[in-house]
Amino acid sequence: MNLKLIKLSVVVQFLVILVACNGEKNVKVEVTQENNKPNILFIPIDDLRPELGCYGNDLVISPNIDKLAENGVVFNNAYCQQAVCTPSRTSLLTGLRPDSTQVWDLRTHFRTYLPNVVSLPQFFKNNGYYTVGLGKTFHNTLQDSIAWNEYLHVDGFPFDPDAVYVNHDNIVEQKELELKRLKSGKAKFDKYGFIYSKTRSSEMGISEDDAYYDGAQTTLAIKKLKALKNSKTPFFLSVGFYKPHLPFNAPKKYWDLYNRDKIPLANNQYTPKDSPEFSIHGDAELRGYVDAKNNLPKPNEAPWDEDKQRELIHAYYACVSYIDAQVGRLLNELNQLGLAENTIVVLWGDHGWKLGEHNGWGKQTNYEIDTRVPLIISGNGVKSKGKTSHALTEFVDVYPTLCDMAGFNVPEHLQGLSLKPVLEDSEATIKDAAYSQFLLGRYGPPEARKQERMGYTVRTDRYRYVEWYTWNKNKNVPEQLIARELFDHENDTQENYNIVNNPEQEVLIKQLSNKIKEGFTF
């Protein structure tokens, strides 16, 4: 395809969305509880892989999320739009893909380019719902105040509370680091008087649940649920959990659920054969911790020490079980208050996370391990309860789904499709492809930032196909096609072998390339 047409189409797409969003800003419909509109309990979970009991993992202990799944639909083939926090959450919460929001990194706020876009909670706020946010719904440092009637924070915790330590030695180490950074002028206080600093990549906390932020905010969310019960209007309550995001800190009782010696390690600790070297990069996030920065191997090096691997996987699973317990507390309260029958519960993880797969320890790739996500929709209006759907779905589908289920017209500018047909019949399908992308070159060591590259990927029932382009960061457009990848999930579910150079795949590659250009409106 002519590169001028590609560039023009990206710009045109952005302008169409801009106009549509400007038109949406005053949409409002009167809603009261008498109209019997369903409440919405929204549960984002950071860095959660689709490895839970309800996803077929017998090792991970997640009884409360599994129970939620029994009352809803588990989406087994759900994909985020980009495997990093801000772009992923922005796409879900605006119903728009990253090329439309212009958000491809951790620093850009979607309102920079789309100031009048109506976010998902804002839509419900505009239409008569009382919206309350706790924790991490939008990216934690890029909040959206106009989306909420109330945005709550637990007293005594930092503005960004993911790096909270409770054990004495770790607290001392953290405070020594903070003092060092203050003396060098490299630290600043947040609005609550804390300095954000991270030291160890995991902690077996000698503490109760509420010593960490996720437990404490669950206690606050339960109090808020009790108040919302008496409201005359339906509510949209989002409780965004930080774990299992790094550092993998959780109370000891959740670590005790697992036998570290029996935790299996990834069996594909190598980069995909015949894929471009840059497609798996150096896990910059984990390298920011003192116990990993000097010994974590790069993807093309020998795998990490097995004891360290087991320690980190053990810590991750402990965090998953810790969050599962908090989800259970929320759901129990919902039931005790008599709110469960008229509440839609949406639980989702913003992207995947590598635990040694492809010799990586992080997210931020275009591969299945990072783009496939957990998504469970349960409760009111779900007819196909206790079922698993294998339909291809995307995060941009969540916004139109909730509008549809709540009885509102779906805004026309949204780029996803309602999942309501799948919630009524788990065998239904709504699309034949899911799309993700990743902008490489804004993260990692200096050598990785010399050239920005955009990888566009399409996932069909059988294949994942990726096209890599050089990226013009001044114009925000793709330019030269520099690499391609093709994986056959019928024969290679882990995406270990790039078969794009197989002459037999020529016709298929052309079809999938056209599919990418359809999905991203090249």
Side-chain angles (χ1 to χ4, degrees), residues 137-179:
T137 303
F138 297 91
H139 188 59
N140 46 335
T141 57
L142 297 171
Q143 290 298 329
D144 188 45
S145 60
I146 63 176
W148 310 109
N149 293 106
E150 291 184 75
Y151 182 77
L152 306 177
H153 185 82
V154 183
D155 291 340
F157 286 90
F159 173 71
D160 187 353
D162 60 7
V164 170
Y165 299 86
V166 301
N167 292 347
H168 177 267
D169 290 350
N170 289 340
I171 292 174
V172 170
E173 185 177 36
Q174 185 182 39
K175 296 307 175 186
E176 288 175 346
L177 174 62
E178 290 175 4
L179 182 60

Side-chain angles (χ1 to χ4, degrees), residues 317-333:
Y317 287 166
C319 287
V320 172
S321 293
Y322 169 54
I323 294 305
D324 177 79
Q326 310 317 308
V327 171
R329 294 174 61 199
L330 280 176
L331 297 179
N332 287 339
E333 189 65 25

Side-chain angles (χ1 to χ4, degrees), residues 237-461:
L237 172 63
S238 180
V239 185
F241 292 111
Y242 284 83
K243 300 304 165 195
H245 189 285
L246 283 167
F248 299 152
N249 298 350
K252 181 178 181 297
K253 62 183 176 182
Y254 299 104
W255 291 69
D256 291 344
L257 295 173
Y258 299 91
N259 183 336
R260 184 178 298 186
D261 294 336
K262 293 185 178 181
I263 293 175
L265 304 182
N267 60 10
N268 62 334
Q269 295 187 42
Y270 47 85
T271 57
K273 181 176 173 56
D274 294 328
S275 283
E277 184 176 346
F278 57 74
S279 64
I280 298 284
H281 53 95
D283 308 308
E285 184 178 356
L286 182 54
R287 293 181 193 279
Y289 293 84
V290 298
D291 54 343
K293 64 180 180 181
N294 295 322
N295 57 31
L296 178 65
K298 294 181 179 179
N300 60 355
E301 297 175 344
W304 211 3
D305 176 80
E306 286 195 8
D307 288 341
K308 190 60 182 178
Q309 289 191 48
R310 291 188 191 280
E311 176 188 337
L312 206 66
I313 298 172
H314 186 183
Y316 181 91
Y317 287 166
C319 287
V320 172
S321 293
Y322 169 54
I323 294 305
D324 177 79
Q326 310 317 308
V327 171
R329 294 174 61 199
L330 280 176
L331 297 179
N332 287 339
E333 189 65 25
L334 200 68
N335 279 313
Q336 290 177 13
L337 293 173
L339 294 170
E341 185 177 347
N342 195 39
T343 299
I344 302 167
V345 182
V346 184
L347 184 146
W348 52 282
D350 56 355
H351 42 67
W353 216 88
K354 293 182 292 297
L355 291 170
E357 293 87 359
H358 293 155
N359 207 23
W361 295 85
K363 54 240 184 190
Q364 302 178 358
T365 76
N366 269 320
Y367 296 122
E368 184 89 355
I369 191 66
D370 290 344
T371 60
R372 181 169 169 255
V373 291
L375 174 63
I376 301 169
I377 301 179
S378 181
N380 182 276
V382 178
K383 296 181 180 178
S384 197
K385 296 183 185 297
K387 302 293 185 180
T388 294
S389 167
H390 299 287
L392 289 165
T393 52
E394 305 174 88
F395 269 176
V396 288
D397 299 329
V398 172
Y399 192 151
T401 299
L402 289 178
C403 292
D404 197 7
M405 292 180 71
F408 298 112
N409 292 328
V410 176
E412 292 183 359
H413 74 279
L414 299 182
Q415 294 174 336
L417 299 173
S418 172
L419 299 173
K420 189 175 180 180
V422 184
L423 296 172
E424 294 177 344
D425 176 7
S426 62
E427 298 296 320
T429 60
I430 61 167
K431 57 181 61 176
D432 60 2
Y435 299 91
S436 303
Q437 62 187 110
F438 189 78
L439 180 58
L440 186 61
R442 296 193 183 180
Y443 308 97
E447 61 268 20
R449 303 188 185 194
K450 293 179 181 179
Q451 171 66 63
E452 290 192 353
R453 308 175 181 93
M454 179 67 83
Y456 291 105
T457 181
V458 60
R459 177 67 160 90
T460 66
D461 285 338

